[in-house]
């Protein structure tokens, strides 16, 4: 993603063929919907932690 951000003035993010967000690299990087779709939620990651591993 860093290469895309470095080379682009504007970025459009698609999810299942639909536009999710469009904006500057900083706007996309900080967009909560983009982060959820591409990085997942904290809760989802917490559910995958092995038993006894703290967040």
């Amino acid at each position: 993603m860093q290469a895309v951000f470095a080379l682009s003035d504007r970025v459009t993010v698609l999810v299942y063929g639909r536009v999710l967000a469009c904006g500057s690299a900083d706007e996309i990087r900080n967009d909560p919907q983009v982060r959820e779709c591409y990085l997942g939620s904290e809760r989802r990651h917490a559910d995958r932690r092995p038993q006894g591993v703290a967040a």
Side-chain angles (χ1 to χ4, degrees):
M1 288 299 282
Q2 293 306 320
V4 171
F5 290 152
L7 296 171
S8 304
D9 293 323
R10 297 194 54 78
V11 178
T12 300
V13 178
L14 303 176
V15 175
Y16 298 113
R18 295 196 172 145
V19 175
L20 175 67
C22 186
S24 69
D26 284 335
E27 290 171 325
I28 297 302
R29 187 180 291 117
N30 295 313
D31 186 295
Q33 288 183 313
V34 172
R35 295 178 69 85
E36 171 70 22
C37 286
Y38 283 89
L39 300 176
S41 68
E42 285 294 319
R43 179 184 171 147
R44 219 180 314 165
H45 289 297
D47 292 343
R48 293 182 184 165
R49 287 190 185 100
Q51 199 75 327
V53 175

